[in-house]
Amino acid sequence: MSEIKRMKYCVNGEWKDSKTTKWLPVSDSSTGEIIAEVPCCTQDELEEAIAAAHAAFPAWSLMSLSARTQMMFKWRNILMAHLDELTLLCAKELGKTLNEARGDVLKAIEPTELACATPFISQGSASMQVTTGFDTASYRVPLGVVAGIVPFNFPAMIPWGWMVPLAIATGNTVVLKAASFTPLTSMRIMELFYEEGGFPKGVVNLVTCSRNESEVLLTDPRVKAVTFVGTTEVGKHIYSIAAAHGKRVQAQCEAKNHALVLEDCDLESTVNAIINSTYGCAGMRCMALPVVVVQESIADKFVAKLKEKAMAMKVGCAYNPETNLGPVVNEKHKQSICNWIQKGVDEGAELVLDGRDIVVPGYENGFFVGPTILDHVTDEMSVGTREIFGPVTVIKRVKNFEEGLAVMNANPFANGSVIFTQNGYYARQFELLTDGGMVGINVGIPVPSAYFPFSGNKDSFYGDQHVLGLDGVRFYTRAKTVTKHWYDEHSHKKAMDTWEGTVERI
């Protein structure tokens, strides 16, 4: 067994030993071995991070936009140079395959490239002569300190793609609460941020802690905005508390994305897309397709083909290049997924494929769950409405497009939704009527590029401005509208004479 490394937290560009008595374990998901411990930082240490970000804000926000942009260009190249290193680290601590982990890091780089365009995308507007002699301009200016509260499932993309780039490029400073299950990737990026990026101290600060200690991020008046990704229960809490304290909030929450498969679909490509979407990242992503609503006329054929392809997947060590499906993040999460599978069986679903007892030779202590399929699931079954966050496919059978759409829209979550069909009319009706915020037409994972907002709806999102795109710029800035009027020499002299005459009369 390798030595368990005790990690530090980063404030004002310096790595510090925590005074906590509580340490949180980090595992290699493929072996089950604990490889590090991170501190459950104290409230004083979080306040120290807020103070550092607050102190760094004036100078950073007043730095020229072109200077900040040049630093973002440099930062993008640093991340690319360390792509392989960060990929392996992500695969080890989370369980993503090497290809998936590489995608995680690349999805952090993409928004960094967007942030390089800040001089263009953060422009305001102006009009001359709005009334005689008066001009008005509206600018976008930074908020101050923003807090990012991060989930475990994308340790590179979410903190260093969704949160940091647009926040700092627009002139804000940041306190990141990294995910305690998977903090190592984020911590390594934090090291690079100061060691190679050369950013001013305090622009980004990183802590690890429990929900209790992080409550100060929601109430401290120096924090002006909170961006969060995680469960709906926690998202609702963060939204209500932070908003009550006058902060802006983005709360990206749970999902139960549905795919509608019609009888005229290209069956082979549809199954391939659903395999990739449902079992990619071991189902631990909010844009997975855990529910397939399939037209009854092709349901048996669809399920048979889905099972065949799922059984052909190679389950194994995350950092083995031949692996198709890696482990889940830890033992607790594995048990949660297995409990959900059993609950589905108890509720009356048909267990077509059971991945609970899979064993990977040489990695017997890893946190593996194989592909699982539950058929004949109804809306009354909780397994069909609640997020499992694992490699589990739920099958719901419907008679036609109308019934399928109704089943999908009845779900309280609306992060994404997908239709597989060759019928243009149904595709357009779906695009028009689905509740999903991100919609796919014959696309299994309809995640937009960073130039568009990541736009969940209903219980999948709380807030006004979504993540990334122009929404992201608006979230991290506020409007300042300036109206100007200048006197010419004659009118100025006339105004002064009038003023002096008034003074003499007084």
Side-chain angles (χ1 to χ4, degrees):
M1 180 175 289
S2 60
E3 180 183 354
I4 298 174
K5 185 177 181 180
R6 281 204 159 176
M7 309 302 291
K8 302 180 180 183
Y9 68 102
C10 184
V11 167
N12 208 32
E14 298 177 4
W15 290 93
K16 300 190 172 188
D17 292 312
S18 174
K19 294 182 174 61
T20 188
T21 58
K22 183 179 178 183
W23 294 83
L24 310 169
V26 181
S27 301
D28 179 326
S29 299
S30 296
T31 65
E33 179 184 0
I34 296 175
I35 54 176
E37 290 180 332
V38 295
C40 182
C41 290
T42 66
Q43 183 171 325
D44 287 345
E45 290 164 348
L46 265 76
E47 290 177 351
E48 179 189 11
I50 295 170
H54 184 67
F57 173 71
W60 178 248
S61 64
L62 292 175
M63 181 183 287
S64 73
L65 187 54
S66 60
R68 289 202 303 264
T69 302
Q70 287 302 315
M71 296 193 78
M72 296 308 297
F73 273 111
K74 177 183 176 183
W75 177 233
R76 181 264 179 202
N77 292 335
I78 290 168
L79 289 174
M80 282 300 299
H82 289 270
L83 177 59
D84 291 341
E85 173 196 357
L86 296 172
T87 294
L88 182 58
L89 194 53
C90 178
K92 277 199 168 187
E93 67 173 342
L94 179 55
K96 289 185 177 180
T97 68
L98 289 174
N99 283 337
E100 293 163 352
R102 185 180 182 87
D104 192 330
V105 181
L106 288 172
K107 278 293 185 179
I109 294 171
E110 185 181 293
T112 305
E113 294 169 344
L114 173 65
C116 292
T118 299
F120 176 71
I121 60 179
S122 66
Q123 289 179 2
S125 58
S127 292
M128 295 186 72
Q129 201 73 351
V130 291
T131 189
T132 304
F134 288 80
D135 306 328
T136 299
S138 184
Y139 305 98
R140 305 300 305 185
V141 298
L143 303 175
V145 180
V146 299
I149 302 176
V150 181
F152 71 81
N153 62 320
F154 279 88
M157 180 190 78
I158 291 178
W160 294 98
W162 285 13
M163 297 178 180
V164 170
L166 285 181
I168 65 173
T170 51
N172 302 282
T173 54
V174 179
V175 177
L176 276 181
K177 176 194 173 297
S180 57
F181 290 171
T182 56
L184 304 183
T185 304
S186 194
M187 287 179 166
R188 177 57 182 145
I189 296 175
M190 182 87 261
E191 289 177 346
L192 295 171
F193 185 80
Y194 286 114
E195 291 173 4
E196 298 189 24
F199 287 87
K201 290 184 176 181
V203 171
V204 179
N205 307 271
L206 185 147
V207 296
T208 49
C209 62
S210 74
R211 178 174 168 178
N212 292 334
E213 291 78 23
S214 64
E215 200 78 3
V216 68
L217 298 174
L218 314 182
T219 58
D220 192 299
R222 292 170 294 183
V223 177
K224 303 303 180 184
V226 179
T227 179
F228 163 82
V229 181
T231 67
T232 295
E233 177 190 1
V234 176
K236 284 182 177 179
H237 171 77
I238 287 173
Y239 183 79
S240 62
I241 299 299
H245 284 80
K247 305 181 194 312
R248 295 186 178 187
V249 185
Q250 289 172 330
Q252 188 71 45
C253 302
E254 293 174 52
K256 192 71 171 178
N257 304 324
H258 286 48
L260 177 55
V261 177
L262 299 184
E263 60 188 3
D264 70 334
C265 74
D266 183 306
L267 191 60
E268 183 76 16
S269 60
T270 297
V271 171
N272 287 337
I274 289 171
I275 286 281
N276 182 37
S277 177
T278 304
Y279 302 129
C281 301
M284 297 184 296
R285 57 185 177 195
C286 63
M287 284 303 288
L289 281 178
V291 183
V292 182
V293 182
V294 60
Q295 198 164 357
E296 184 68 50
S297 57
I298 62 164
D300 288 343
K301 186 186 298 185
F302 171 83
V303 171
K305 186 168 283 291
L306 184 70
K307 179 181 179 181
E308 175 190 347
K309 288 185 177 289
M311 290 178 66
M313 297 186 76
K314 180 175 176 57
V315 181
C317 171
Y319 34 95
N320 179 344
E322 296 180 359
T323 294
N324 303 131
L325 177 60
V328 299
V329 65
N330 57 28
E331 180 62 37
K332 181 180 179 181
H333 192 58
K334 174 183 176 178
Q335 191 56 53
S336 172
I337 296 167
C338 292
N339 290 344
W340 271 112
I341 295 170
Q342 185 57 49
K343 188 171 184 61
V345 173
D346 294 342
E347 289 177 333
E350 177 186 338
L351 186 59
V352 175
L353 184 62
D354 189 352
R356 288 175 291 181
D357 297 325
I358 193 164
V359 176
V360 177
Y363 297 90
E364 288 80 6
N365 295 321
F367 311 125
F368 297 98
V369 180
T372 298
I373 301 172
L374 291 166
D375 196 1
H376 297 284
V377 173
T378 66
D379 286 339
E380 291 72 33
M381 301 178 187
S382 60
V383 74
T385 57
R386 297 285 304 280
E387 187 174 57
I388 298 174
F389 223 56
V392 180
T393 308
V394 167
I395 308 294
K396 298 179 180 179
R397 298 178 177 227
V398 295
K399 295 182 179 66
N400 51 37
F401 169 83
E402 291 77 15
E403 184 185 352
L405 181 66
V407 165
M408 298 174 81
N409 283 348
N411 192 266
F413 304 107
N415 214 39
S417 57
V418 174
I419 187 171
F420 292 95
T421 182
Q422 297 301 309
N423 186 302
Y425 171 78
Y426 283 138
R428 186 178 183 279
Q429 286 296 101
F430 185 82
E431 184 178 356
L432 182 67
L433 299 174
T434 180
D435 288 344
M438 288 161 286
V439 181
I441 298 173
N442 298 318
V443 175
I445 312 173
V447 176
S449 73
Y451 315 117
F452 294 90
F454 192 92
S455 47
N457 291 326
K458 294 166 70 171
D459 279 353
S460 292
F461 180 78
Y462 296 94
D464 296 314
Q465 302 289 349
H466 286 92
V467 175
L468 297 179
L470 292 179
D471 270 23
V473 174
R474 295 186 189 104
F475 178 77
Y476 288 118
T477 57
R478 60 182 175 86
K480 177 180 284 188
T481 302
V482 180
T483 300
K484 295 173 284 189
H485 175 68
W486 298 99
Y487 296 98
D488 61 26
E489 185 176 350
H490 173 73
S491 59
H492 177 70
K493 184 177 185 305
K494 182 179 180 181
M496 290 300 295
D497 290 344
T498 302
W499 179 79
E500 289 171 356
T502 301
V503 172
E504 288 175 2
R505 287 196 300 273
I506 295 173

